[in-house]
Amino acid sequence: MRSLLTATLMFAAMGASAQAQLTPPATAGARPKPVTTVPIRPALQTPADTANAMPQAERLAIQSDLAWVGQYNGAITGEVSERMVAAIKEFQKSRGGKQTGVLNPQERGMLAETAKRKQENVGWKIVTDPGTGARLGVPTKLVPQQASDNNGARWTSATGTVQIQLARRKQANPTTAKLAEQEKKEPAGRKIDYTVVKPDFFVLSGLQGLKKFYVRGTFRGDEVRILTILYDQATENTVEPVVIAMSSAFNPFPAGAQVAGPPPRKTVEYGTGIVVSADGAIIADRQVTDSCLAIAIAGHGNADRVAEDKDHDLTLLRIYGARGLKPLNLGNGAAKSGVELTGIADPQNQGGGAAASSVKASVTPNGSGGDLSPAPGLGFSGAAAFDSEGKFAGIALLKPVLVAGPANAAAAALVSADTVRGFLKANGITAAGGSADAKASVVRVICVRK
């Protein structure tokens, strides 16, 4: 059985141009003919090059989302591979798009939204087992029944078609090879389709009676922890993407930063700023401009941070001596069920370009504005949001990517127009008046860190 899952386990276990001169032979008395030189063409950037230029957190998120939609069956490690690029092309093909192997902002948003729906359909949540402290992802709608004791925890479906077990035990001098051999024989009758044994973990997959099974185990000292997933073959299409996600999310001995926390910010980070005054005031995402050695506004030069709102992650930047700035009209709008976001995507997402673009998103209201879905692409943090009447509705902020985070944690949020106007007013800037052309009023913000 070489299924999608088996291919995944295999991956989980693994972790020029030329120049020529064409010179015809010389003849007596003949005037030498000029040499024709074939110029060297610069190497074109491949989809893999583009993916490698992304932060690892974004590559992890893309791989995870592709696995959830059933296009990717490799290990979710953040490492770029031909399989990952092929999966992106398959996703683009399934949506009737051009198969470039590089997701544009709209495709990235659609992928994230589709994966989120798949997660919501199975009730995907990251949980911490109180008995062991282990963290794992659980499809709570597929396995709503839970029980636990001193030996671990168990989640099952009402009919037993899907079963998940987290087991713990003490064992003297364990090794992954010994543990794998024990699991092959317990229970009796397991038919092993695939085995991988590494110094720090082992994986088995195959058939146990009429069910498929997946086992991943490890140890620390004399403490052994093993995750087992059993599921009926009839549920394969639904469960196998979940198994891939569970394999990647399983952390049997979380500690320190592995327990929770966002990945570090990038050395060079791109965001969107909104011009709010003709004399050089720009509002942007505070986190995008945090801990920067230098902040630049593309086409205008360096900028200073002059104010910030830590509660809502807003910052006010100022550039000096700039001309031709077009402040945006920030008056009268409010968040509704849907908005259009105008920003400037990360250059890696538009082939090095710097064009402003717009994408649509739905809004789920909350106390401070709303959650946005799907999240816009990288670079859109700080983008201007407009309601269905074309009025300013707030600012979109991307949140740090947590691949193993809860499915219901929004990847992007909307800071309400009232909050934005209040922040500007507190800093002496009037929001009324200005341009209605958002694309003319947004600028690229570039942060350079150590």
Side-chain angles (χ1 to χ4, degrees):
M1 175 185 63
R2 290 287 171 178
S3 64
L4 176 149
L5 175 59
T6 300
T8 301
L9 302 181
M10 294 175 67
F11 275 80
M14 299 188 304
S17 301
Q19 184 183 56
Q21 291 187 338
L22 307 177
T23 307
T27 57
R31 187 174 181 179
K33 293 184 179 180
V35 175
T36 301
T37 302
V38 179
I40 299 176
R41 293 185 177 181
L44 297 177
Q45 188 175 47
T46 67
D49 293 332
T50 301
N52 276 314
M54 296 177 181
Q56 186 184 37
E58 175 64 4
R59 297 196 301 268
L60 281 165
I62 289 174
Q63 288 176 342
S64 176
D65 288 349
L66 287 168
W68 272 104
V69 302
Q71 303 291 357
Y72 180 71
N73 60 6
I76 303 175
T77 62
E79 298 300 319
V80 179
S81 65
E82 292 183 4
R83 187 174 293 266
M84 175 181 171
V85 174
I88 292 173
K89 291 181 178 180
E90 282 299 312
F91 176 78
Q92 291 171 323
K93 180 181 178 181
S94 70
R95 296 303 187 274
K98 186 176 180 181
Q99 299 176 53
T100 63
V102 177
L103 296 167
N104 62 36
Q106 291 81 5
E107 290 170 336
R108 180 67 188 98
M110 180 60 70
L111 173 61
E113 176 65 13
T114 304
K116 182 180 179 182
R117 288 199 302 268
K118 296 277 190 180
Q119 293 172 346
E120 290 174 346
N121 288 342
V122 299
W124 176 253
K125 290 183 179 179
I126 300 296
V127 301
T128 299
D129 173 48
T132 63
R135 283 171 58 84
L136 68 160
V138 177
T140 58
K141 291 182 181 179
L142 296 182
V143 286
Q145 300 178 2
Q146 180 183 358
S148 61
D149 56 30
N150 292 334
N151 296 318
R154 185 182 183 90
W155 295 262
T156 61
S157 62
T159 59
T161 55
V162 183
Q163 303 171 28
I164 298 168
Q165 183 174 357
L166 173 62
R168 64 179 301 190
R169 65 174 182 264
K170 297 286 186 178
Q171 185 168 326
N173 302 317
T175 67
T176 51
K178 290 179 182 178
L179 295 175
E181 287 303 313
Q182 291 171 1
E183 290 298 317
K184 287 179 182 179
K185 302 171 185 176
E186 299 177 5
R190 273 184 172 172
K191 296 180 179 179
I192 307 301
D193 181 66
Y194 185 76
T195 304
V196 60
V197 178
K198 297 291 183 180
D200 54 344
F201 74 97
F202 72 92
V203 169
L204 304 174
S205 72
L207 284 175
Q208 183 173 314
L210 298 177
K211 293 182 182 293
K212 287 192 169 185
F213 78 90
Y214 168 92
V215 174
R216 185 181 184 102
T218 188
F219 68 94
R220 178 175 292 177
D222 62 354
E223 176 83 6
V224 175
R225 295 181 181 174
I226 296 175
L227 175 67
T228 303
I229 307 167
L230 286 166
Y231 54 100
D232 285 6
Q233 296 180 61
T235 66
E236 181 176 341
N237 291 338
T238 299
V239 178
E240 285 201 347
V242 179
V243 174
I244 296 171
M246 291 189 69
S247 176
S248 296
F250 182 46
N251 190 341
F253 297 100
Q258 292 179 323
V259 175
R265 308 298 295 199
K266 295 185 290 184
T267 302
V268 178
E269 187 165 7
Y270 298 89
T272 294
I274 303 171
V275 177
V276 292
S277 74
D279 62 353
I282 296 167
I283 191 169
D285 180 351
R286 184 186 68 85
Q287 292 198 45
V288 167
T289 60
D290 195 30
S291 303
C292 304
L293 291 176
I295 301 171
I297 305 301
H300 297 285
N302 290 342
D304 293 335
R305 285 214 311 183
V306 296
E308 64 179 19
D309 178 350
K310 291 185 177 181
D311 291 336
H312 300 100
D313 277 330
L314 299 175
T315 190
L316 188 63
L317 308 177
R318 186 168 289 279
I319 53 178
Y320 302 94
R323 298 180 179 179
L325 295 175
K326 295 183 178 181
L328 185 65
N329 185 347
L330 306 182
N332 301 324
K336 299 182 180 180
S337 59
V339 292
E340 182 174 84
L341 309 176
T342 298
I344 303 176
D346 187 293
Q348 295 295 336
N349 287 356
Q350 51 173 317
S357 58
S358 298
V359 295
K360 294 186 181 299
S362 60
V363 180
T364 303
N366 59 31
S368 59
D371 294 329
L372 293 175
S373 179
L378 293 177
F380 262 72
S381 203
F386 295 86
D387 62 22
S388 57
E389 298 176 357
K391 297 178 180 179
F392 180 73
I395 291 179
L397 301 180
L398 297 181
K399 297 181 180 180
V401 176
L402 288 174
V403 174
N408 58 0
L414 181 71
V415 179
S416 71
D418 286 341
T419 299
V420 173
R421 289 190 286 262
F423 173 61
L424 294 176
K425 183 178 180 180
N427 288 281
I429 296 174
T430 302
S435 171
D437 182 2
K439 290 185 178 180
S441 299
V442 296
V443 291
R444 171 173 279 165
V445 178
I446 307 169
C447 168
V448 180
R449 300 186 178 91
K450 289 183 180 180

